[in-house]
Amino acid sequence: MKPLKSLVSFMLIVALLTACSIEPKPIPYGEANCAHCNMTVADNRFGAELVNDKGKTVYFDSAECLAAFVNEQPEQGNNAAYLMVTDYTNPNQLINAREAHFLQSRELPSPMGMFLTAFTDKGTAQKMQQERGGRLLNWDEVVLAIQKNEKPE
């Protein structure tokens, strides 16, 4: 009986530690609503999320909604443990927004009409820019472009 009690105690401790971890989580496409525009997060090429310093995760249907949320609530962005966007070439794969390369091109519509697409790899973003036009941005430039409502010409 004692080994069973020890095993249950160990599993309970592991479960508690796992529940308290501050990590990005997979976006529940089709179930989560965007924390900025309240639309259902549906397209796995554009989802984004913010994990705050307490481990709470909020989801967004696009990088532009995440940037708008950060503009409206800068303390949330400054204190975030993670700001994540989806790599367009690897749907469902979240990447650090601060390290991502963004292409803003009329040839690549995004869910909220700002034509922003995120890539892990700078070379892939540059190749897509050569094929589709537009401009390359880093995360700080994305936040500023959303603040100024700059759309591609």
Side-chain angles (χ1 to χ4, degrees), residues 68-80:
F69 184 84
V70 168
N71 277 328
E72 293 167 359
Q73 301 181 48
E75 70 286 347
Q76 291 281 339
N78 293 336
N79 296 328

Side-chain angles (χ1 to χ4, degrees), residues 43-108:
D43 192 333
N44 66 356
R45 299 171 302 166
F46 295 99
E49 71 181 42
L50 180 151
V51 181
N52 74 13
D53 58 349
K54 295 178 177 53
K56 181 182 177 187
T57 304
V58 290
Y59 301 104
F60 302 90
D61 62 354
S62 63
E64 55 253 47
C65 277
L66 174 59
F69 184 84
V70 168
N71 277 328
E72 293 167 359
Q73 301 181 48
E75 70 286 347
Q76 291 281 339
N78 293 336
N79 296 328
Y82 294 95
L83 293 174
M84 307 297 288
V85 293
T86 301
D87 181 354
Y88 181 77
T89 57
N90 294 301
N92 293 316
Q93 182 179 346
L94 292 170
I95 57 177
N96 184 340
R98 294 178 177 112
E99 297 173 1
H101 306 276
F102 295 87
L103 175 62
Q104 189 176 38
S105 169
R106 281 245 180 239
E107 299 295 318
L108 288 170

